[in-house]
């Protein structure tokens, strides 16, 4: 499955998103957001809990949950409109790797680590080269600092930090052009955080991987030489290149403290 490589990984234009709750109440969670992620570059979304950043990330990855609807604007991700993906919806899931906020904590309990990491391939192809697939899984685990012995283990046998890296390995399995990661460093100790940053930065440098990450660590912004976009109640309240280069709206003092070093 192939696609022409778009000049920009993400072009988000005046995007507005609502969420309809179980009682039918409709809340606008993202309101008029505009930005671009150029090929091979990184953008970090930051903001307080409930600011809309996780919903925005999920929509851009084509992984929005029930009740989430785009009601204004559009976003073109890897050349595909997320508002009207049509037949290209499956292609979007191949070109874009998505690490959700709770993915590390919700790994399939009855699958081994090897099966979980291989799932993006095995769920799409009936016939696979088992040896090549096993090698690919082992390579990803090694890249993320996980022991080869983890291949046959089940999620309950792993620490929270190891499960998080297993989820990331699964995200990278199809060699996506863009990774959308919601708190990719959650539950990781200092050493594991550096391993994950190094793995993603290496792919960005060597393969032109584009990144959109939800994170509040200035170290992550600096490591990826990232642009930064801050949200507050669904509105953009700060934007710029790097933490020090951000321009803030006058009413965003609370959000500024999220990235103070």
């Amino acid at each position: 499955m192939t696609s022409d490589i778009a000049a920009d990984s993400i072009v988000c234009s005046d995007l507005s998103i609502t969420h309809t709750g179980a009682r039918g109440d409709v809340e606008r969670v993202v309101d008029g957001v505009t930005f671009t992620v150029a090929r091979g570059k990184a953008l970090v979304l930051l903001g307080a809990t409930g600011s809309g950043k996780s919903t925005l990330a999920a929509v851009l990855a084509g992984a929005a949950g029930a009740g989430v609807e785009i009601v204004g604007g559009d976003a073109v991700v890897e050349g595909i409109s997320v508002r009207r993906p049509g037949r290209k919806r499956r292609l979007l899931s191949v070109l874009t790797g998505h690490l959700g906020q709770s993915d590390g904590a919700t790994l399939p309990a009855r699958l081994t680590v090897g099966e979980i990491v291989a799932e993006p391939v095995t769920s799409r192809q009936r016939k696979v080269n088992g040896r090549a697939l096993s090698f690919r899984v082992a390579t990803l685990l090694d890249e993320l600092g996980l022991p080869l012995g983890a291949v046959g283990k089940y999620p309950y046998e792993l620490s929270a930090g190891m499960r998080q890296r297993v989820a990331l390995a699964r995200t990278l399995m199809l060699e996506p052009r863009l990774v959308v990661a919601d708190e990719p460093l959650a539950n990781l100790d200092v050493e594991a955080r550096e391993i994950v940053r190094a793995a993603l930065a290496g792919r960005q440098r060597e393969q032109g991987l584009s990144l959109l990450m939800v994170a509040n660590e200035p170290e992550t912004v600096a490591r990826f030489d990232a642009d930064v976009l801050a949200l507050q109640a669904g509105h953009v309240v700060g934007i710029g290149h790097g933490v020090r280069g951000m321009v803030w709206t006058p009413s965003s003092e609370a959000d500024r403290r999220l990235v103070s070093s």
Side-chain angles (χ1 to χ4, degrees):
M1 189 174 291
T2 60
S3 173
D4 294 334
I5 298 178
D8 295 309
S9 283
I10 303 174
V11 179
C12 188
S13 306
D14 200 28
L15 187 67
S16 294
I17 304 168
T18 61
H19 177 262
T20 302
R23 299 181 178 179
D25 50 315
V26 179
E27 177 187 7
R28 183 165 293 220
V29 291
V30 173
D31 196 358
V33 171
T34 297
F35 65 86
T36 299
V37 178
R39 174 70 49 205
K41 300 299 182 180
L43 175 73
V44 171
L45 296 176
L46 59 88
T49 300
S51 61
K53 55 191 190 297
S54 291
T55 299
L56 174 58
V59 166
L60 294 174
V68 175
E69 182 181 1
I70 297 174
V71 295
D74 196 4
V76 177
V77 178
E78 295 300 333
I80 300 169
S81 166
V82 298
R83 187 166 189 174
R84 300 179 182 87
R87 295 180 179 179
K88 293 185 177 180
R89 184 180 300 276
R90 185 168 181 266
L91 177 58
L92 180 62
S93 69
V94 173
L95 299 176
T96 302
H98 179 233
L99 179 68
Q101 189 174 44
S102 62
D103 282 3
T106 57
L107 297 175
R110 297 184 179 183
L111 298 183
T112 65
V113 166
E115 291 168 336
I116 291 168
V117 176
E119 188 273 337
V121 172
T122 57
S123 66
R124 289 173 169 84
Q125 301 178 20
R126 292 184 178 181
K127 296 182 179 181
V128 298
N129 183 320
R131 181 175 296 181
L133 185 61
S134 295
F135 179 77
R136 173 69 181 143
V137 170
T139 300
L140 281 168
L141 295 181
D142 181 67
E143 182 181 359
L144 295 172
L146 290 166
L148 184 57
V151 170
K153 292 184 179 296
Y154 292 89
Y156 75 87
E157 299 179 274
L158 307 178
S159 68
M162 294 177 75
R163 291 194 296 269
Q164 180 73 358
R165 283 179 282 167
V166 169
L168 179 57
R170 179 177 59 184
T171 299
L172 297 173
M173 186 67 192
L174 296 179
E175 296 287 349
R177 295 175 183 170
L178 165 70
V179 165
V180 177
D182 195 342
E183 299 288 358
L185 305 182
N187 300 314
L188 301 184
D189 59 25
V190 173
E191 181 180 0
R193 285 185 174 214
E194 182 51 35
I195 289 172
V196 169
R197 287 193 187 112
L200 292 176
R203 287 169 175 269
Q204 183 186 29
R205 181 178 61 253
E206 298 165 11
Q207 302 176 14
L209 176 70
S210 304
L211 295 162
L212 184 142
M213 294 177 286
V214 175
N216 288 323
E217 311 91 10
E219 298 85 358
T220 297
V221 176
R223 181 61 180 270
F224 295 99
D225 191 29
D227 289 335
V228 184
L229 186 143
L231 293 175
Q232 185 178 61
H235 297 272
V236 175
V237 295
I239 193 168
H241 182 72
V243 173
R244 295 184 179 180
M246 294 187 71
V247 177
W248 297 85
T249 61
S251 61
S252 56
E253 290 296 332
D255 291 87
R256 297 185 201 194
R257 292 196 294 271
L258 289 171
V259 293
S260 59
S261 55

